[in-house]
Amino acid sequence: MTDQKLIPEQSGPAAEAFLSVRDLRIHFDTDDGLVRSVDGVSFDLAPGKTLGIVGESGSGKSVTSLGIMGLHRSKRARISGEIWLEGEELVGASADRVRQLRGRKMAMIFQDPLTAMHPYYTVGQQIVEAYRVHHPAASKKEAKVRAVEMLDRVGIPQPDRRVDDYPHQFSGGMRQRAMIAMALVNDPSLLIADEPTTALDVTVQAQILDLIRDLQQEFGSAVIIITHDLGVVAELADDILVMYGGKCIERGPATTLFDAPEHPYTWGLLGSMPRLDRDLQERLVPVRGTPPSLINVPSGCAFHPRCPYAELTGGRSVSELPVLTEAGPGHHAACHLPTADRHRIFADEIAPRL
Ligand SMILES: Nc1ncnc2c1ncn2[C@@H]1O[C@H](COP(=O)(O)OP(=O)(O)O)[C@@H](O)[C@H]1O
Ligand code: SF4
Ligand SMILES: [Mg+2]
């Protein structure tokens, strides 16, 4: 991962990256004003690796992923920056070109499979359709064989029968599996999973996360997993990017983010992670207050109205935007607190409660 301060000189993809996002901004013109949903996000993802994007609701996670997929496009959307997928830049690419890549090179699964699946077509018809868009030479019969194979691969029992069911005939967990089958039918090299387990109960959640991990190993695809729950990415992600108010406020290797997080907002997220070995009272240290408006973003550090340490920065938290600075190898955080203060607060106040 690179330092955001260097980005203007560093446009273009990183050599070893499969996906490089550079200073991505996606703003929407609305009747209430300009919504800065994504406001200068940069990251790199290496082939076959997993990036977790984490943040509370409304922090710009979904808009980031829709932007990569080219699905944000509307008359009211303004996008800038660069998205490099295997050496090809997508922000400046035509809608047709992005449509060709979508489904084949990059695919997405959503929290609610019913938004991605049509109620009036069978699961099989939809997987067949997804396959044939990118394999026009395949017959319907061949595509259906492929659909059954994929349903089998994602763990749907009796796939040769279930292939003819409608989405509503599947349970929530099975529908999620079917959507994963549809997303992977063309063997994409990038899979984006946006809150893939949020609507599911805990046991099914764990099964779906295991499935994603197994499939990733089998297919070798890079994965972006988006969640408001750090627990979901704890075992899955190689790297984690924390978003707040449309910006990346901390990013780094997952182990570092869990063991030595630098940003007070990340501390809050870690403190609010459910832990089986604590009772509820003790373990929940939620981030107080509510996420910021993306129309009237607070000045300086957007987190300052909620940050317990904002007064320790001599007014800079309110007046000056903190930029991502290096905290360790591949680890960056955007906070004005002097490093020594941050480490002392983390060791004395935060770590003992995690
Ligand atoms: N098409 C749109 N027009 C205007 N505002 C939008 C649009 N899509 C998303 N937003 C706003 O962008 C912000 C970020 O949304 P989103 O990326 O969905 O958040 P998250 O996925 O982190 O919960 C929210 O304030 C949301 O209301
Ligand atoms: S810059 Fe200030 S308000 Fe923002 S996280 Fe750091 S201490 Fe808190
Ligand atoms: Mg979302």
Side-chain angles (χ1 to χ4, degrees):
M1 292 198 188
T2 49
D3 190 325
Q4 190 164 347
K5 283 197 300 187
L6 302 175
I7 277 158
E9 306 91 81
Q10 269 204 348
S11 70
E16 70 289 359
F18 155 78
L19 174 72
S20 288
V21 172
R22 293 282 171 270
D23 201 24
L24 183 67
R25 288 168 208 268
I26 303 175
H27 298 170
F28 296 97
D29 255 325
T30 71
D31 297 339
D32 299 323
L34 191 65
V35 184
R36 296 170 203 279
S37 301
V38 180
D39 208 26
V41 168
S42 301
F43 62 83
D44 293 311
L45 179 58
K49 294 289 181 186
T50 300
L51 171 73
I53 300 185
V54 184
E56 287 165 298
S57 176
S59 53
K61 307 181 299 296
S62 293
V63 174
T64 300
S65 58
L66 293 173
I68 295 168
M69 295 288 292
L71 290 171
H72 66 283
R73 293 180 186 230
S74 82
K75 267 194 288 198
R76 303 196 121 188
R78 300 183 197 170
I79 182 164
S80 67
E82 297 168 12
I83 298 168
W84 294 91
L85 183 68
E86 285 187 301
E88 184 170 356
E89 205 288 305
L90 303 186
V91 172
S94 69
D96 274 350
R97 179 61 188 146
V98 176
R99 200 174 303 119
Q100 283 171 1
L101 297 173
R102 192 160 59 230
R104 189 168 61 80
K105 238 183 197 181
M106 52 185 180
M108 186 159 173
I109 59 175
F110 302 87
Q111 174 176 343
D112 179 6
L114 292 179
T115 59
M117 299 188 104
H118 200 291
Y120 301 138
Y121 293 96
T122 66
V123 167
Q125 283 167 329
Q126 299 184 59
I127 300 177
V128 162
E129 186 52 31
Y131 185 66
R132 293 187 76 212
V133 168
H134 298 291
H135 296 83
S139 69
K140 279 199 172 160
K141 209 169 153 198
E142 285 162 355
K144 187 155 178 190
V145 169
R146 173 88 178 146
V148 172
E149 261 171 36
M150 287 305 300
L151 290 179
D152 187 37
R153 181 59 200 86
V154 299
I156 290 180
Q158 298 182 288
D160 46 341
R161 259 193 40 220
R162 300 305 305 260
V163 72
D164 294 320
D165 282 353
Y166 290 89
H168 73 263
Q169 293 173 284
F170 279 58
S171 67
M174 287 295 155
R175 249 191 327 254
Q176 195 60 271
R177 288 174 189 267
M179 185 168 52
I180 293 172
M182 192 159 103
L184 293 182
V185 71
N186 295 304
D187 200 3
S189 27
L190 172 66
L191 176 69
I192 303 183
D194 189 356
E195 307 264 7
T197 62
T198 302
L200 305 172
D201 70 50
V202 177
T203 326
V204 183
Q205 268 189 24
Q207 292 166 358
I208 295 290
L209 294 175
D210 283 347
L211 175 65
I212 292 176
R213 186 171 24 208
D214 290 351
L215 292 172
Q216 174 175 31
Q217 273 163 14
E218 186 180 327
F219 289 80
S221 27
V223 173
I224 297 180
I225 186 155
I226 293 179
T227 176
H228 64 280
D229 178 0
L230 261 173
V232 163
V233 289
E235 300 200 350
L236 218 56
D238 299 296
D239 289 314
I240 291 179
L241 185 155
V242 182
M243 282 189 78
Y244 189 79
K247 292 185 159 61
C248 167
I249 54 95
E250 183 163 9
R251 63 184 181 202
T255 45
T256 310
L257 268 271
F258 280 98
D259 296 341
E262 291 277 335
H263 196 285
Y265 178 64
T266 312
W267 298 345
L269 286 183
L270 281 167
S272 57
M273 234 174 86
R275 286 262 304 263
L276 293 175
D277 54 343
R278 305 272 172 88
D279 72 45
L280 201 67
Q281 289 298 320
E282 197 190 352
R283 80 186 178 214
L284 283 182
V285 189
V287 187
R288 63 173 192 185
T290 50
S293 148
L294 295 182
I295 296 180
N296 296 305
V297 183
S299 62
C301 173
F303 188 53
H304 85 251
R306 302 171 72 185
C307 181
Y309 313 105
E311 301 88 57
L312 305 180
T313 61
R316 290 176 78 199
S317 293
V318 180
S319 62
E320 193 182 319
L321 180 70
V323 293
L324 287 169
T325 49
E326 190 164 24
H331 181 198
H332 299 84
C335 171
H336 291 307
L337 278 178
T339 306
D341 291 354
R342 241 186 281 162
H343 290 177
R344 182 183 45 76
I345 296 168
F346 181 72
D348 294 353
E349 296 179 27
I350 310 296
R353 293 189 311 192
L354 296 180

